[in-house]
Structures are given as C-alpha cells and as structure tokens.
Amino acid sequence: MRLSRYFLPVLKENPSEAQIVSHRLMLRAGMIKQSAAGIYSWLPLGFKVLRKIETIVHEEQQRAGHIPMLMPTLQSADLWKESGRFDAYGPEMLRIKDRQDRDMLYGPTNEEMITDIFRSHVGSYKDLPMTLYHIQWKFRDEVRPRFGVMRGREFLMKDGYTFDLTKEDALHAYNRHLVTYLRSYERMGLQAIPMRADSGPIGGDDTHEFLVLAETGESEVFYDSQITELKFGDREIDYDSVDQCQAVMEEFTSRYARTDETHDEALFAEVPAERQRSARGIEVGQIFYFGTKYSEPMGATVQGPDGKPVPVHMGSHGIGVSRLLGAIIEASHDDKGIIWPEGVTPFHVGIVNLKQGDEQADAACDALYASLQALGLDPLYDDTKERAGGKFATMDLIGLPWRITVGPRGLKNGVVELTSRRSGESEEMTPEAAVEKIAGIYRGIA
C-alpha cells in the first residue's frame, strides 16, 4: 500500500476523551472512530490488525480440530427463557421486540443457541466429542463503557462450545482449549497468564481467565512470579492426548495465580515472599466447564452406549478478539506510539522516502516495494511530500516493527537504513540485504 492512496487519519494531539494509552493511540493512529458510547467504526489500519488477530485465532482453533461456524447476532428470547437466563442475565443484555412483538435480544453470548443447534442434529454418543466455535460481534450494555475497545458495548469475540459424553472428556476439552489459547497469545506477542477466576453469569465451577499484566488492567491479580517465566514456545502437542494436554495444564496452572474474586490469602501466603506479586491485569479470554447446566434444562441429550439418553457435558471458551488490540498496545508501546509485535502488525515494514520526487530515491523505493511484495510481504510505502520528521513520527505512531529509510545520501553509497521500532537500533545495508533480512524475520513467525 502507498500511503498517498491509503486512508490513515492520524491525529497530532491526544484526544481529550481517551483515558488510557490504548484508546489514545488507537484514536491518534486512525484505527477507530467512535460511533456511539462504547461502539466504534474500525478504520482500515485497525481493521487490518483485527483481521490478523482473528486469523491467528482461527488457525489455532482448527489446529486443535475445532469446527468453525457462524451464529447470528440477534437471538430469540425463547431459548434464553428455556434456560432461565433471560431474566437472570441482568441489564447488560439488550432486550428488544420485533414488529410481531416477539422478545429478541442482541446476543452477549451463545450457550443457548449452540445447545439448540446441537440437540436438533446430534443424537448419539458416537458423534462426540465435538467442538463448535464462531467469531462474531457481541453486545453487552455496559453501564459505563470506557477505555475504548477495552470496555466497549459492541465487541468481536471468539466463543467456542464443547460437547462431551463424560466429565472426564469435558475436562480434556477444557485443557485442550488452554493449550490453544497459550499458543494464540504467544503468536500475538503476548504473555497471557491463566488465572483461577469467577464464572459470573456463564456458570460452572471450573474456569480460568487469561490476563495480560498492565497498569491499566481492570482486575487486581495475585500471582507467583515464577509463572511469568513460562513459555509455550514452538513445542508440538497431540491435542487428542489426554496426558499431554493435562501436563500443559499442570505446568501453567500449578503455581498460584488468581484474580481478586477468587484470591485466597492463606494459599497466597504459602508462596515464598520474594515471589509474591500483585498487579493489574487485562482479561483477554476465559475458559469454562459447566457440566450439564444447559444441556439438562434444554434437553440436549445423546443416546449413550447402553441406549439410554444422557445429558452432554458442556464447556464454553472465549477470546476477546477486539479487546486484544487494546491489550497488545497496553503491553507494547512507548512515548512515540504503538510497537506492534510482528505476528499482528498491520504492515510488515514501512518504507520512508526522504526525498520524494528525486529520481534515484523514487526508483529505489519502487524497487524495494516490488521486491517485498514479490515475497508475499505487505509494505507500507510513505510516498507523500511530507517532511522527513513528519514521516518518521507517523511511522513511530502507527508502530510498524521495521522501517526502511531511503535517501539520496545513502544511495550514493549503495545503502538504505533498516530500523527496529522496538529497540530503535538502525543498520545500514544494501537494499537487497534489507529485503532479505525482513523476509527472514517473517519466515520465522508461525
């Protein structure tokens, strides 16, 4: 993409309504525009990152054998009345009526709808286990929407639902999801710590939240510092293996890590004092096992091995796709702007032409642009007439992890300048070497 043809409405000043870093930088970088309280339009740069995150989530879910689908945003209230949650959910649910005066709602989650789909089409234990998921817009009418996409009313979420014959099978599905989430977050450049949490209106006794440590987090968290040293890395795992998934669960949850709702001072006191930590955390996902909470009242049964009907054991598993943008920025920025991890950056590299209109500089930039695209990379070429300082400020603000700077002086010596956004370090090299280095960096990313 050439910047002269792109829609990137950057702001020079900090918006007065933005209270936290991610909201401020998303507005300044032209990623979002508020449409109503807690509801945003996703402008091209923000939309590109949103799709990058969504793609990673899809890839990791399907790697584990989970099946994608799509459910509607509007739901009939009848299913929620059947489960008992229509009145119990609270004012966060947006309740509406259609022209036939039927009760409808803008879905905050999909347990009832997926249970209805399951009971309509699955009748035998031989069809289990099964995991269905979708990535869809949700709506929860927050009393005080704030912090941009971190606590909006409309948000994009991956929610998956597991159906198993026994509790043991369902807990394996729970562990399997924990593994997929660890992989997903690490690919996004995040360390998201699984913490024992409260189940809230979803229900169930087994649940973990995944939290990214950040000063602006909405939750107070308590943890053993050893947990921050854990990395899933590039290890291979057989998702059908109960033992392998259980081993990962034990590795990442055996140390103390809890949100304030489930914090236990007595247990925390058993952690060596030098490893006790308290901080703020941003929730970016949660996994639940809730047994037969929905399947029994809604008649979601299968014929068991003995021919008798058995209510299935269920779990639900969510990732806040749109919220993740805010969490990544909160965890990765400086006073100049965003610093995108390579796994989710909207463009792989920025090209800055220091003297637009200079024949040699223009030709060199065009050649770099073509070479990078030929390798399947997505560069953003600043071909505007803006002064060099303004070009650098824009690149720093939008946070591309790498920048290639091209100017007449360097070209006389046959070199361009490659700069890392994260470290700020620059290196002179030939244009060909710069292209190869960028290509090598992205070849190493899953």
Side-chain angles (χ1 to χ4, degrees):
M1 178 58 65
R2 294 174 182 268
L3 190 54
S4 61
R5 301 176 186 172
Y6 197 53
F7 180 55
L8 186 66
V10 298
L11 305 175
K12 287 186 168 58
E13 303 297 328
N14 288 325
S16 58
E17 71 271 25
Q19 299 176 342
I20 62 172
V21 168
S22 59
H23 190 195
R24 182 166 67 247
L25 291 178
M26 289 183 75
L27 289 170
R28 284 197 57 209
M31 300 180 72
I32 56 173
K33 183 182 185 304
Q34 182 170 304
S35 174
I39 301 173
Y40 293 87
S41 293
W42 290 81
L43 306 184
L45 194 73
F47 185 63
K48 277 179 73 72
V49 180
L50 194 67
R51 284 290 173 256
K52 290 281 186 78
I53 292 172
E54 188 177 350
T55 296
I56 289 173
V57 173
H58 272 303
E59 289 175 354
E60 292 304 329
Q61 288 301 299
Q62 292 174 53
R63 186 196 299 266
H66 305 162
I67 305 168
M69 59 178 297
L70 186 63
M71 289 175 276
T73 55
L74 291 179
Q75 302 182 30
S76 167
D78 292 345
L79 293 173
W80 287 70
K81 291 174 181 177
E82 190 177 343
S83 73
R85 281 209 301 175
F86 184 68
D87 295 318
Y89 198 90
E92 289 79 18
M93 181 190 291
L94 182 62
R95 297 164 173 84
I96 56 179
K97 289 182 180 290
D98 67 11
R99 66 169 63 198
Q100 304 298 331
D101 205 36
R102 291 175 293 216
D103 287 325
M104 306 285 288
L105 58 101
Y106 194 134
T109 185
N110 282 74
E111 282 81 8
E112 283 81 1
M113 182 167 286
I114 197 71
T115 304
D116 180 55
I117 291 170
F118 178 87
R119 71 183 178 183
S120 300
H121 299 286
V122 181
S124 170
Y125 76 95
K126 295 178 182 179
D127 296 319
L128 304 180
M130 181 179 293
T131 298
L132 301 171
Y133 81 93
H134 72 157
I135 297 177
Q136 179 61 289
W137 291 96
K138 303 283 193 291
F139 188 91
R140 293 177 189 167
D141 201 2
E142 292 274 356
V143 62
R144 283 197 306 145
R146 54 191 175 138
F147 302 155
V149 301
M150 297 290 289
R151 188 174 289 182
R153 293 193 295 165
E154 185 183 60
F155 54 95
L156 189 63
M157 180 177 168
K158 171 263 162 182
D159 45 319
Y161 302 91
T162 54
F163 301 90
D164 291 277
L165 184 64
T166 66
K167 179 177 182 179
E168 291 72 26
D169 292 342
L171 290 177
H172 170 57
Y174 185 94
N175 295 346
R176 189 175 67 241
H177 275 81
L178 180 131
V179 176
T180 68
Y181 282 22
L182 291 172
R183 284 186 57 94
S184 298
Y185 296 131
E186 285 193 14
R187 285 185 61 186
M188 297 172 198
L190 287 173
Q191 181 176 48
I193 301 171
M195 298 191 178
R196 178 65 66 178
D198 181 67
S199 62
I202 302 295
D205 297 325
D206 292 276
T207 182
H208 282 84
E209 284 182 3
F210 291 78
L211 289 109
V212 175
L213 301 179
E215 293 179 1
T216 52
E218 72 271 60
S219 302
E220 187 175 11
V221 297
F222 302 84
Y223 61 97
D224 181 338
S225 64
Q226 280 192 343
I227 202 167
T228 61
E229 300 168 10
L230 298 176
K231 297 286 187 294
F232 188 86
D234 58 359
R235 71 181 86 173
E236 292 296 326
I237 190 164
D238 179 359
Y239 285 104
D240 292 328
S241 169
V242 172
D243 291 342
Q244 287 187 33
C245 292
Q246 178 65 28
V248 175
M249 165 62 78
E250 291 174 359
E251 178 185 355
F252 280 84
T253 64
S254 59
R255 296 164 182 81
Y256 191 94
R258 294 192 176 207
T259 61
D260 51 359
E261 295 98 335
T262 60
H263 179 51
D264 186 319
E265 284 286 358
L267 284 176
F268 192 49
E270 297 176 9
V271 178
E274 67 274 12
R275 300 201 325 247
Q276 292 179 8
R277 299 286 188 275
S278 64
R280 309 297 298 181
I282 300 169
E283 181 201 342
V284 291
Q286 191 163 4
I287 55 178
F288 301 86
Y289 161 69
F290 42 67
T292 58
K293 173 181 171 68
Y294 298 95
S295 57
E296 283 189 342
M298 295 185 69
T301 63
V302 295
Q303 186 180 59
D306 59 0
K308 297 179 180 179
V310 180
V312 293
H313 286 255
M314 293 176 58
S316 71
H317 313 276
I319 287 181
V321 175
S322 53
R323 167 178 270 243
L324 272 164
L325 272 84
I328 292 168
I329 293 171
E330 292 291 335
S332 186
H333 68 273
D334 61 16
D335 57 358
K336 296 178 181 178
I338 303 165
I339 305 174
W340 291 116
E342 279 86 352
V344 295
T345 180
F347 295 95
H348 295 115
V349 59
I351 302 171
V352 172
N353 188 339
L354 292 180
K355 194 171 184 181
Q356 194 70 37
D358 178 86
E359 184 176 345
Q360 188 180 13
D362 290 355
C365 288
D366 287 341
L368 280 167
Y369 185 71
S371 296
L372 289 161
Q373 286 191 315
L375 292 171
L377 296 170
D378 189 10
L380 177 64
Y381 171 22
D382 188 342
D383 60 343
T384 67
K385 299 289 187 181
E386 177 76 44
R387 290 180 299 177
K391 291 188 175 191
F392 291 146
T394 296
M395 285 293 176
D396 286 342
L397 173 61
I398 67 175
L400 307 187
W402 297 94
R403 185 185 76 224
I404 300 174
T405 304
V406 181
R409 185 179 303 173
L411 290 174
K412 287 180 181 178
N413 298 317
V415 298
V416 296
E417 185 178 72
L418 180 64
T419 303
S420 164
R421 175 69 179 88
R422 187 168 298 279
S423 70
E425 295 177 357
S426 296
E427 183 181 359
E428 289 189 341
M429 60 185 69
T430 65
E432 294 77 16
V435 169
E436 181 52 38
K437 183 165 183 175
I438 293 296
I441 289 166
Y442 288 102
R443 273 197 296 269
I445 295 175

